[in-house]
Amino acid sequence: MESDDCTQFDAAFRAFLQAYPSFEGTRVLDELRATEYERLDRCGHIYLDYTGGGLYAISQLQKHHALLADCVLGNPHSTNPTSLAMTELVERARRYILKYFNASPDEYVAIFTSNASGALKLVGESFPFEPGDHYLLTFDNHNSVNGIREFARVREAEITYVPVMLPDMRVDAARLAGYLGLARPGGHNLFAYPAQSNFSGVQHPLDWIAQAHAKGWIVVLDAAAFAPTNRLDLARWQPDFVPLSFYKMFGYPTGVGCLLARKSALAMLRRPWFAGGTITVASVQGDKYYLAANEAAFEDGTLNYLNLPAIEIGLKHIQAIGIDTIHERVRCLVGWLVDNLVALKHSNGRPLARLYGPPTTDHRGGAATANFYDVTGQAIDHRLIEQRANQANISLRTGCFCNPGAGEIALGLSKPELIACFNQPSDRLTLDDFRLCIDGKSSGAVRVSVGMVTNFADVYHFLQFAEGLLDQMSVRVTT
Ligand SMILES: Cc1ncc(COP(=O)(O)O)c(C=O)c1O
């Protein structure tokens, strides 16, 4: 940086510390970034997509590779010595996950899946929906939670969406009680919501879990976006199903997730098939199979077993830093980001950005989503923002982030408008067809998300990038 830039940066940093003094207590993460994540600064990356995926520390790789280099590990579905050694590592990973989330092994099991979506599919395909049962979910949900409605639909269960409201994108607490009253008495009722929105960063209340239980719901708490920077204590909060992706928590490995399941709720599920590893006995001529107990009944075929020991390594990495330290750092950084983003104004006084989600750090996580407007008040296409950000080596995300319900509310897309687009004769609808159909309305937004090793400079550089959009007319996206 030039010396003027340095002075400006230093002044901004001082103002930040004044506004968020608790950031000082998270400085251990700056030290860690300089060593374990040194590649970020060496390559000049401004990584702001932690809701998309976390980043790994070099030592996580080293510890995992050392273990693999040291051991001879076979497929765990057997009793030979290398298989037994692997089985012990698999069970150890399982125990560690439960311990990390303070989940009693008497109450919860950890089922390995390939990601959070795989965990959600296990619940959806096995939930014993019957005609008249209910699937209740918030508008604000990832598509892998929305997708469960297709299992509910074929089994003739009712499907109800609970709306979220602008500008904060929260659910109206008074109306939630009414929705929870929709449970069919004695039926199989499933309620699903995200502990943290991957669209707006809103953290929906965890005390909905007990409220929903009291009204007869089985609760899916999607913690994929929440767990990386928040404490989830399953001794205190007791959702029935919790899907997770580990790469979102600590970057490595990909391809491994889990479903934390309460044993009592797991016992309700009816698997639609059996597979290698899920049965005690299956017969061809006898035309019969017997499912294994607990998690084994839900893990189809061979697990991604060599990657499982990396989970304990990743969880220990978070514990060594402290999840509360990570949480506080993210709170400070996203607070500063949002404060400054909403304050940016063109010289004619028009705001640069419209934020979708809470403008304060109260019950919000590290994702901030907005659209940008030019000096005339015209929305700047989110794809243009992405192109410009790419040129500045800033990794952010644009679109609807697989969360169409939150997107529709944020962007003001109404049901009749959407139905008109979906009632066209063709079987296929490309994103470009959809854009044309909604005629000039934004089809997406820009998401900036901070995480474990974000530093002040990342946020500062993003805000400078945003300032660079001030007083400009928007131009076309180059395709
Ligand atoms: C809240 C939420 N739920 C579920 C998912 C799905 O995760 P995965 O793609 O790892 O299956 C995501 C991914 O971004 C998410 O943010």
Side-chain angles (χ1 to χ4, degrees):
M1 279 195 270
E2 304 287 319
S3 80
D4 275 0
D5 295 343
C6 285
T7 318
Q8 220 185 340
F9 178 89
D10 291 344
F13 190 49
R14 278 196 302 277
F16 166 65
L17 287 181
Q18 216 165 10
Y20 294 95
S22 58
F23 184 80
E24 284 288 12
T26 73
R27 286 305 194 97
V28 62
L29 281 157
D30 287 307
E31 288 156 32
L32 212 62
R33 169 144 167 172
T35 51
E36 292 269 27
Y37 301 84
E38 168 274 338
R39 64 193 186 280
L40 268 174
D41 296 309
R42 176 165 34 86
C43 305
H45 279 292
I46 299 167
Y47 186 80
L48 293 169
D49 189 21
Y50 286 84
T51 303
L55 297 180
Y56 51 81
I58 294 288
S59 64
Q60 284 172 250
L61 306 184
Q62 288 164 342
K63 286 178 188 161
H64 184 222
H65 292 171
L67 181 136
L68 296 182
D70 222 35
C71 305
V72 182
L73 299 166
N75 185 317
H77 279 160
S78 188
T79 55
N80 64 55
T82 51
S83 177
L84 286 175
M86 191 63 240
T87 301
E88 171 47 25
L89 290 173
V90 171
E91 295 314 313
R92 189 178 154 147
R94 225 188 276 287
R95 285 194 296 274
Y96 207 84
I97 294 166
L98 292 180
K99 188 169 157 204
Y100 178 86
F101 289 103
N102 202 16
S104 158
D106 294 334
E107 269 206 71
Y108 280 92
V109 295
I111 299 166
F112 288 118
T113 60
S114 45
N115 47 32
S117 302
L120 287 158
K121 185 163 181 241
L122 277 181
V123 177
E125 69 185 8
S126 313
F127 196 77
F129 287 119
E130 287 175 8
D133 286 341
H134 222 115
Y135 181 40
L136 181 71
L137 65 168
T138 44
F139 261 66
D140 181 9
N141 259 311
H142 190 274
N143 264 338
S144 302
V145 178
N146 289 323
I148 293 178
R149 74 177 186 217
E150 301 307 318
F151 291 114
R153 197 193 309 278
V154 291
R155 292 183 209 137
E156 296 173 52
E158 304 285 324
I159 301 159
T160 303
Y161 274 101
V162 183
V164 294
M165 294 178 317
L166 285 167
D168 279 19
M169 309 274 299
R170 296 190 198 276
V171 168
D172 177 352
R175 288 179 69 192
L176 181 72
Y179 283 104
L180 290 178
L182 294 173
R184 184 162 80 103
H188 304 116
N189 306 295
L190 190 65
F191 172 46
Y193 73 98
Q196 179 173 312
S197 169
N198 71 323
F199 188 97
S200 62
V202 158
Q203 295 186 338
H204 298 294
L206 296 180
D207 51 22
W208 289 355
I209 300 165
Q211 286 174 39
H213 280 161
K215 297 270 179 80
W217 298 90
I218 295 291
V219 179
V220 176
L221 180 77
D222 179 359
F226 181 84
T229 60
N230 297 279
R231 183 180 291 281
L232 180 60
D233 179 347
L234 293 182
R236 175 156 183 224
W237 311 105
Q238 307 220 294
D240 299 283
F241 298 110
V242 183
L244 293 164
S245 276
F246 290 111
Y247 71 88
K248 288 197 191 288
M249 295 181 71
F250 38 77
Y252 173 88
T254 50
V256 185
C258 103
L259 176 66
L260 293 169
R262 261 175 100 179
K263 286 183 179 172
S264 53
L266 199 64
M268 284 178 65
L269 299 187
R270 300 283 168 262
R271 291 226 68 194
W273 79 323
F274 65 93
T278 65
I279 43 102
T280 52
V281 178
S283 162
V284 170
Q285 296 182 80
D287 193 19
K288 188 101 179 134
Y289 69 92
Y290 294 88
L291 276 184
N294 288 326
E295 66 274 354
F298 291 83
E299 291 173 346
D300 296 338
T302 302
L303 290 169
N304 187 350
Y305 59 87
L306 289 179
N307 272 337
L308 299 184
I311 299 172
E312 179 175 341
I313 294 168
L315 292 174
K316 283 185 168 158
H317 179 65
I318 292 185
Q319 286 174 315
I321 302 161
I323 187 72
D324 297 331
T325 302
I326 296 169
H327 174 88
E328 191 52 24
R329 183 172 182 95
V330 162
R331 190 190 72 79
C332 296
L333 290 169
V334 80
W336 181 255
L337 171 67
V338 164
D339 295 345
N340 284 277
L341 191 60
V342 298
L344 288 176
K345 301 259 190 313
H346 295 288
S347 53
N348 60 9
R350 288 183 196 272
L352 174 72
R354 177 175 177 203
L355 181 77
Y356 307 117
T360 69
T361 60
D362 182 33
H363 288 87
R364 72 127 53 245
T369 293
N371 262 317
F372 292 81
Y373 295 83
D374 71 14
V375 68
T376 69
Q378 278 283 108
I380 306 176
D381 192 315
H382 57 88
R383 293 169 298 166
L384 180 70
I385 304 287
E386 183 170 34
Q387 278 178 5
R388 294 256 182 108
N390 292 348
Q391 284 157 12
N393 218 13
I394 298 175
S395 293
L396 44 69
R397 204 154 279 213
T398 63
C400 267
F401 329 117
C402 295
N403 189 330
E408 287 161 22
I409 288 182
L411 305 172
L413 298 173
S414 69
K415 187 168 179 168
E417 246 174 315
L418 291 161
I419 288 178
C421 292
F422 298 149
N423 273 350
Q424 294 174 6
S426 166
D427 277 355
R428 300 202 165 269
L429 183 75
T430 65
L431 198 54
D432 282 336
D433 296 336
F434 180 61
R435 275 196 195 104
L436 271 179
C437 182
I438 57 173
D439 192 22
K441 287 204 175 175
S442 251
S443 59
V446 179
R447 182 181 75 193
V448 178
S449 56
V450 300
M452 186 198 289
V453 289
T454 307
N455 60 15
F456 177 74
D458 292 330
V459 172
Y460 177 80
H461 286 126
F462 173 75
L463 288 169
Q464 281 210 315
F465 164 79
E467 270 182 47
L469 301 168
L470 286 174
D471 290 325
Q472 292 200 4
M473 300 288 290
S474 46
V475 286
R476 289 178 62 78
V477 185
T478 54
T479 47

